[in-house]
Structures are given as C-alpha cells and as structure tokens.
C-alpha cells in the first residue's frame, strides 16, 4: 500500500516549499521549517521561499537531486503524465511548490491524483528529480514504497 502523505505536524499557511522539503527529506514539518528559515534570504521568514532557497534547503537537508532540462513552461499535469512513475519529483511552478510520485501530487493541501489536483494547470519553472540511494531514500519512506530492501540497520 502506498503511503503518500503530508507530515504529521503539517501547519496551515503559505508553506508549500517547507511541506515539499519535509516530504522528500523524510523529516517533520518543524525540522523542515527550521532548515528553510536557516537558508532564507529574508530576516522575516513566514514560509515563502525564493527558488534559490528551495535548492539550498534541499542541500541543507542532505537531499540529493538533479535539475531536469526542458521542462520550463509545461503544465504540472503534462509533466506528471509523462514522468517516470517510480521517481519522485520536487516541482516548482508559478508561485507554488509540490511533490509528485506515481501520478499523484502533494502539497500542504494533501495528496491528489494529478487530474484532480487544483494546481494541475500551473506552469513549471523547474523540476528537481530526487535521487534515492541507500544514503538518501527518505522520499521512498514517505511514499511507503518498497523500492529498497534496507538490510541491516542503524
């Protein structure tokens, strides 16, 4: 069963970047907030993030990602429909950030199939593919997919 869900301590507000970081990093909303506030280019952080802050927050959370070429201007729906369903994507669109996996999109409003997602027609600014490996498989833990057999333990 796929468990693709918002963080347990999700907060209301304009905090889509914080929510997306929480999901792809496999950390609580509070931890993501602290990271985002730390990289913010404003002294009065209230949840909104600049594009560079988003990239810096992923680095600060040790989330590996790669920028996808040739996606700018596509709609969220067209990108998700053509995307590899086994991969996780951090999508930055006009004024919003969301996470996509397996045809679904999540933001602070919850998880929806892309066809029912309120922001499906938003234009993409950039997409970061989340690189999942044995040291960085937090996104798969959030989505609950058994893509990695984690042997041993910490």
């Amino acid at each position: 069963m796929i468990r693709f869900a918002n963080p347990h301590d999700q907060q209301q507000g304009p905090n889509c970047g914080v929510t997306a970081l929480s999901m792809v990093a496999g950390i609580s909303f509070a931890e993501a907030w602290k990271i985002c506030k730390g990289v913010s280019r404003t002294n009065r952080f209230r949840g909104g993030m600049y594009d560079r802050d988003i990239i810096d927050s992923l680095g600060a959370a040790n989330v590996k990602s790669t920028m996808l070429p040739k996606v700018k201007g596509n709609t969220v729906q067209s990108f998700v429909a053509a995307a590899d369903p086994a991969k996780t994507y951090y999508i930055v669109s006009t004024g919003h950030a969301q996470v996509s996996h397996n045809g679904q999109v999540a933001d602070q409003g919850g998880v929806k199939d892309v066809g029912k997602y309120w922001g499906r027609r938003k234009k993409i600014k950039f997409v970061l593919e989340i690189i999942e490996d044995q040291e960085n498989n937090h996104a798969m833990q959030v989505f609950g997919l058994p893509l990695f057999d984690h042997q041993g333990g910490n």
Side-chain angles (χ1 to χ4, degrees), residues 35 39 41 49 51-62:
I35 289 169
V39 303
R41 284 163 171 62
M49 297 173 69
D51 295 347
R52 187 72 214 163
D53 294 344
I54 289 170
I55 293 167
D56 291 349
S57 70
L58 289 168
N62 297 317

Side-chain angles (χ1 to χ4, degrees), residues 115-130:
K116 296 180 181 176
Y117 176 57
W118 72 271
R120 69 187 174 275
R121 293 188 181 105
K122 285 189 143 303
K123 299 290 185 186
I124 291 177
K125 291 173 72 179
F126 64 91
V127 176
L128 299 166
E129 179 183 325
I130 304 303

Side-chain angles (χ1 to χ4, degrees), residues 27-80:
I27 58 178
S28 70
F29 182 87
E31 291 173 282
W33 184 275
K34 184 176 178 182
I35 289 169
C36 293
K37 185 175 183 178
V39 303
S40 176
R41 284 163 171 62
T42 179
N43 292 331
R44 297 184 329 178
F45 180 73
R46 293 188 225 167
M49 297 173 69
Y50 293 103
D51 295 347
R52 187 72 214 163
D53 294 344
I54 289 170
I55 293 167
D56 291 349
S57 70
L58 289 168
N62 297 317
V63 175
K64 297 175 188 173
S65 65
T66 185
M67 183 84 63
L68 296 183
K70 301 179 183 177
V71 295
K72 186 174 181 174
N74 289 335
T75 65
V76 170
Q77 186 170 23
S78 67
F79 172 78
V80 171

Side-chain angles (χ1 to χ4, degrees), residues 51-154:
D51 295 347
R52 187 72 214 163
D53 294 344
I54 289 170
I55 293 167
D56 291 349
S57 70
L58 289 168
N62 297 317
V63 175
K64 297 175 188 173
S65 65
T66 185
M67 183 84 63
L68 296 183
K70 301 179 183 177
V71 295
K72 186 174 181 174
N74 289 335
T75 65
V76 170
Q77 186 170 23
S78 67
F79 172 78
V80 171
D84 183 341
K87 294 184 179 181
T88 303
Y89 303 96
Y90 189 123
I91 303 170
V92 178
S93 58
T94 48
H96 197 53
Q98 52 264 302
V99 177
S100 172
H101 183 81
N102 198 25
Q104 295 184 311
V105 181
D107 64 8
Q108 68 267 42
V111 178
K112 304 278 189 239
D113 287 329
V114 72
K116 296 180 181 176
Y117 176 57
W118 72 271
R120 69 187 174 275
R121 293 188 181 105
K122 285 189 143 303
K123 299 290 185 186
I124 291 177
K125 291 173 72 179
F126 64 91
V127 176
L128 299 166
E129 179 183 325
I130 304 303
I131 308 300
E132 292 120 26
D133 57 28
Q134 288 301 317
E135 295 176 17
N136 181 32
N137 66 355
H138 300 298
M140 288 303 97
Q141 292 170 5
V142 172
F143 298 123
L145 296 175
L147 296 179
F148 299 98
D149 292 326
H150 184 63
Q151 301 296 324
N154 293 344

